[in-house]
Amino acid sequence: MKILVIGSGGREHAICWALQRTSSERSQLFCAPGNAGIAQIAECVPINVNDGPALASFAEASKIDLTMVGPEAPLAAGLVDTFEGRGLKVVGPRSEAARLESSKAFAKDFMARHSIPTARYRVATSVDEAAAILNSGEFGDQNSSVVIKADGLAAGKGVFIPSDRVEAFAALEELRSGVVGVEAARKILIEERLTGPEVSVLLFSDGKDHRLMPAARDHKRIGENDTGPNTGGMGSITDAGIIDSATLGQVASHIVEPTLQGCRDEGFPFRGILFIGLMLTPDGPRVLEYNVRFGDPETQAILVRLKTDLGTIFEAISEGKLGQLSIEWSPDSSACVVLAARGYPAKAETGATIHGLEGLEHRQDVHVFHAATSRANGEWLTAGGRVLGVTATGEDLEVALSRCYGAVAEIQWDGMQYRRDIGRG
Ligand code: AMP
Ligand code: GLY
């Protein structure tokens, strides 16, 4: 079977690694555009993730049996619609279903229509209207009780959590000045601010049936103790302690089922990977956001526990046969520590020589997924903000973390930064 994975980050390296590990005898892997780490296990094809027609033509010409889409932008832009329109098998939601991620206002209105628990919200169609909502006192007088979000895709930069009124209005001015682009900020959401631990529940869905993955937690801020600016994610864990079975049961019946049923009822059955970002509030679990794809770096920590053939899961999703498949996971815990370049997340330095990777290559208990590296003269170089995701399993979280950090200590480059508190907060 020939499989094409679309994307170029640590998430796609982990997907390729899992495909190759669980189905190596029968699969040949391609990745567009991939990265230098992915090139070790898949044939990288230099086509941009947003060039749908070129990707579909490549899939036709190379007789690709199945394509898996990693990132959100091509899903929102209709890559799956293009592939399906040309009779190509593909794993991922069509653009209609991808609106659950590409428009936060759509997602909130969807949740309201289906009584899915989430933070109270208002949608404004201009900065001035958003300011009027803040001034109305509807979300509290001090405005430290609100979250402000741009509607559209903003690569993690569209969410503001102001600690006072001044910061709240400064956030609106940032949106007015176009930090996230005009299109993404056409609508602005004002939300009630919730509190509690966060957990991510991801699932496979074929439109009829679904299967949950182990719950994960990521660490979004650059600095230890959750300080500093937001990033794409500086680390992630999976562990039974993240969510107890009673709460998971509530998530399944009050959130997962009504979400998937809502998609069916509204005429866009969800096929692909759904990622539900939750906050476990004192009043029960609440949805913060939907993503219509695997998370990065949640995927790295999740897939190292997968025992079932990932290619078989993808085939079952694309053929509507997930109901016949039981998916097995190792009972371990897992962790992924992201190593980033100096300057990330603002402006990352690139081109530094990475030392210590060779010594980790043959380790069975640690997997180093590449997010942004390049190769020159036999050396590994940094090529972006998030560079590597050092990932390990263990019989409990402590063991998984100590394996990760033991391996991290062997890697080094000028300007390497990482959080030492992954899994601890
Ligand atoms: P989102 O991209 O919508 O998940 O928001 C990014 C992060 O902002 C989340 O992971 C939360 O930490 C935080 N956040 C979003 N919405 C809320 C909310 N209503 N209350 C508190 N924190 C939130
Ligand atoms: N780690 C969060 C995301 O992939 O959106």
Side-chain angles (χ1 to χ4, degrees), residues 104 147 149 161 191-194 198 220 288-289:
K104 288 182 187 293
V147 176
K149 299 181 180 180
I161 306 183
E191 282 184 25
E192 157 202 21
R193 181 159 164 189
L194 304 173
E198 287 183 46
K220 287 201 172 73
L288 293 178
E289 64 164 349

Side-chain angles (χ1 to χ4, degrees), residues 11 72 101 200 218-220 231-233 235 275 289 291 293-298 386:
R11 163 182 56 205
E72 60 274 23
E101 175 167 3
S200 303
D218 80 336
H219 298 261
K220 287 201 172 73
T231 70
F275 167 142
E289 64 164 349
N291 293 318
R293 50 165 177 88
F294 273 119
D296 188 343
E298 291 86 345
R386 290 192 292 175

Side-chain angles (χ1 to χ4, degrees), residues 240-263:
I242 294 178
I243 186 165
D244 62 64
S245 55
T247 311
L248 190 58
Q250 284 182 322
V251 171
S253 56
H254 300 318
I255 293 171
V256 172
E257 293 287 352
T259 297
L260 295 171
Q261 187 60 42
C263 291

